[in-house]
């Protein structure tokens, strides 16, 4: 009978939280749309900064000149289009491209005769990142072209052996990291906003004084927030899988780790809501927590590549372990030194510790405003 009663309490508390959230569409929309905006913002950032737009002026259309442009395309560092000399100069002056690479006249003839060939590269060095990309990728393209066109003359070559079974593009890798950050943001927003609302409306006093177990109340509130978080999570996952085309290699891992992440980050959101007790403060606090943790948790590559100090910070961030787990779920490889069991344990322990801290804060501060 007690278990049945507790289940009714859990269901009633969860339904009440969902109903109250839906009655305030502004906060419901914020909780669902901010994570998807987060995803789109970073993907646009990645798309715009991934490859340098350049123009290639083809003053020679021989087979070697064509193979040279193919080698540049194979460097995966450029967005290439051909243009006349006047068009390319106009574009670089307007700032619409980063560089102009000119294939000189008699390119094929000079190479056939063994003569030196200089390839003019005009760089708009306004952005140092793009500039360095050009300075690295153009010599690499020349080396790759020469090794392919004249293999007998290139006596030193790299023998590559890959650790992973397949290459992963910049966008697919980053998209998975952003999904985790979106899950964290959605869960923290829902948990903190729902908790802060109880303090604003005074319903937290009614819950505390009600003749029901606090565990059942806590589980009900977690369930209500989780239901709303899942809606946001499904939207983010839908964009990544259906629109971007990043399909999970291990769907069951996505489900299991997704639920574990939601529980962990909901607990953090409830703690934040218990501390601030105001929704207008809970929302910016949630966003402020995400941004530094996101960049310090290995979203662009393994966290242990970040260096000593950032790597040490990443080691204590739950987002690091969540990203590593989801990268395995989607792409099938482990991006950190620890295995999936450690990722699971860290997220579970983080959830329990956060729940305990929330209980201590609640007991110490009471329900008074």
């Amino acid at each position: 009978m007690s278990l049945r009663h507790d289940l009714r309490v859990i269901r009633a508390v969860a339904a009440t939280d969902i109903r109250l959230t839906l009655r305030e569409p502004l906060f419901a929309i914020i909780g669902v749309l901010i994570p998807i905006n987060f995803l789109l913002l970073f993907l646009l950032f990645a798309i715009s900064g991934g490859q340098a737009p350049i123009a290639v002026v083809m003053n020679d259309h021989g087979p070697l000149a064509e193979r040279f442009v193919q080698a540049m395309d194979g460097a995966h560092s450029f967005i290439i289009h051909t243009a006349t000399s006047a068009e390319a100069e106009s574009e670089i002056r307007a700032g619409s491209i980063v560089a102009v690479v000119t294939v000189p006249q008699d390119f094929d003839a000079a190479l056939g005769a063994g003569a030196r060939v200089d390839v003019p590269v005009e760089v708009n060095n306004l952005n140092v990142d793009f500039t360095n990309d050009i300075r690295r990728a153009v010599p690499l393209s020349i080396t790759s072209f020469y090794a392919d066109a004249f293999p007998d003359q290139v006596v030193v070559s790299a023998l590559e052996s890959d650790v992973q079974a397949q290459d992963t593009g910049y966008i697919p890798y980053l998209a998975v990291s952003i999904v985790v950050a979106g899950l964290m943001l959605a869960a923290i927003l829902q948990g903190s906003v729902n908790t802060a609302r109880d303090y604003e409306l005074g319903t937290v006093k009614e819950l505390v004084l009600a003749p029901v177990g606090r565990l059942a109340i806590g589980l009900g509130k977690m369930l209500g927030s989780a239901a709303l978080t899942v809606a946001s999570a499904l939207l983010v996952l839908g964009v990544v899988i259906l629109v971007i085309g990043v399909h999970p290699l291990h769907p069951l891992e996505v489900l299991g780790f997704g639920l574990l992440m939601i529980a962990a980050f909901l607990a953090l959101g409830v703690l934040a809501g218990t501390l601030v007790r105001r929704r207008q403060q809970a929302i910016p606090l949630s966003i402020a927590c995400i941004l530094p943790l996101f960049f310090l948790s290995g979203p662009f590559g393994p966290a242990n590549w970040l260096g000593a100090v950032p790597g040490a910070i990443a080691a204590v961030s739950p987002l690091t372990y969540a990203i590593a787990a989801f990268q395995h779920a989607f792409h099938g490889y482990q991006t950190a030194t620890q295995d999936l069991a450690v990722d699971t344990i860290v997220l579970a322990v983080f959830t329990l510790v956060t729940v305990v801290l929330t209980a201590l804060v609640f007991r110490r501060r009471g329900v008074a405003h």
Side-chain angles (χ1 to χ4, degrees):
M1 181 65 69
S2 178
L3 177 59
R4 186 178 300 176
H5 175 71
D6 287 343
L7 290 175
R8 285 201 299 267
V9 171
I10 292 172
R11 185 169 60 250
V13 172
T16 300
D17 265 7
I18 294 173
R19 185 167 57 252
L20 288 174
T21 300
L22 295 179
R23 284 180 180 175
E24 299 177 305
L26 175 61
F27 290 103
I29 292 172
I30 287 174
V32 173
L33 292 187
I34 284 183
I36 197 68
N37 286 337
F38 191 80
L39 170 68
L40 296 176
L41 173 65
F42 276 95
L43 285 179
L44 288 174
F45 165 76
I47 292 171
S48 63
Q51 295 181 323
I54 70 170
V56 176
V57 178
M58 298 292 292
N59 291 331
D60 189 337
H61 293 276
L64 291 177
E66 297 291 345
R67 289 172 70 176
F68 173 64
V69 176
Q70 291 173 7
M72 292 182 61
D73 188 51
H76 304 295
S77 297
F78 310 111
I79 300 175
I80 299 175
H81 74 277
T82 58
T84 65
S85 179
E87 291 170 344
E89 192 65 23
S90 175
E91 290 175 358
I92 198 170
R93 296 304 173 191
S96 57
I97 58 174
V98 178
V100 177
V101 178
T102 302
V103 179
Q105 290 181 350
D106 301 325
F107 181 85
D108 282 38
L111 286 177
R116 176 187 175 90
V117 177
D118 292 322
V119 177
V121 181
E122 183 181 9
V123 181
N124 182 354
N125 57 331
L126 177 65
N127 185 315
V128 68
D129 290 330
F130 276 142
T131 301
N132 289 336
D133 287 344
I134 296 295
R135 289 169 178 167
R136 285 189 295 264
V138 170
L140 173 62
S141 300
I142 293 173
T143 302
S144 300
F145 157 74
Y146 206 80
D148 178 64
F150 304 96
D152 295 338
Q153 299 182 28
V154 179
V155 296
V156 178
S157 60
L159 296 178
E160 178 179 327
S161 60
D162 297 331
V163 174
Q164 309 298 338
Q166 75 283 334
D167 294 345
T168 300
Y170 182 57
I171 297 299
Y173 188 99
L174 180 59
V176 173
S177 299
I178 298 174
V179 167
V180 177
L183 285 176
M184 184 178 187
L185 181 56
I188 292 179
L189 278 173
Q190 293 296 348
S192 61
V193 167
N194 286 359
T195 303
R197 181 183 58 217
D198 286 335
Y199 285 98
E200 290 181 356
L201 301 180
T203 53
V204 65
K205 296 180 180 179
E206 299 175 6
L207 292 172
V208 170
L209 297 175
V212 294
R214 293 194 178 183
L215 178 59
I217 294 174
L219 290 175
K221 296 193 71 61
M222 289 281 288
L223 183 61
S225 297
L228 297 167
T229 303
V230 166
S232 179
L234 290 175
L235 183 60
V236 173
L237 284 170
V239 171
V240 169
I241 295 172
L242 301 177
V243 178
I244 303 175
V246 183
H247 300 281
L249 191 62
H250 305 293
L252 291 180
E253 285 187 16
V254 174
L255 176 62
F257 279 114
L259 293 176
L260 182 57
M261 291 175 202
I262 288 174
F265 300 142
L266 271 177
L268 184 59
V270 172
L271 175 60
T274 304
L275 287 170
V276 300
R277 303 187 177 192
R278 290 291 183 272
R279 283 176 287 182
Q280 291 182 341
Q281 297 174 6
I283 293 173
L285 177 63
S286 300
I287 298 174
C289 288
I290 291 295
L291 290 177
L293 281 180
F294 177 72
F295 286 105
L296 289 170
S297 299
F300 308 106
N304 47 299
W305 291 0
L306 296 174
V309 175
I313 298 174
V316 298
S317 167
L319 200 56
T320 300
Y321 302 91
I323 288 175
F326 250 37
Q327 289 292 352
H328 185 275
F330 271 85
H331 299 305
Y333 50 70
Q334 190 68 28
T335 61
T337 55
Q338 76 278 352
D339 56 22
L340 291 179
V342 175
D343 296 330
T344 304
I345 292 171
V346 169
L347 291 172
V349 170
F350 176 81
T351 304
L352 293 175
V353 170
T354 307
V355 169
V356 171
L357 286 175
T358 303
L360 292 175
V361 170
F362 181 81
R363 186 174 301 172
R364 180 180 294 272
R365 296 182 62 179
V367 298
H369 290 278

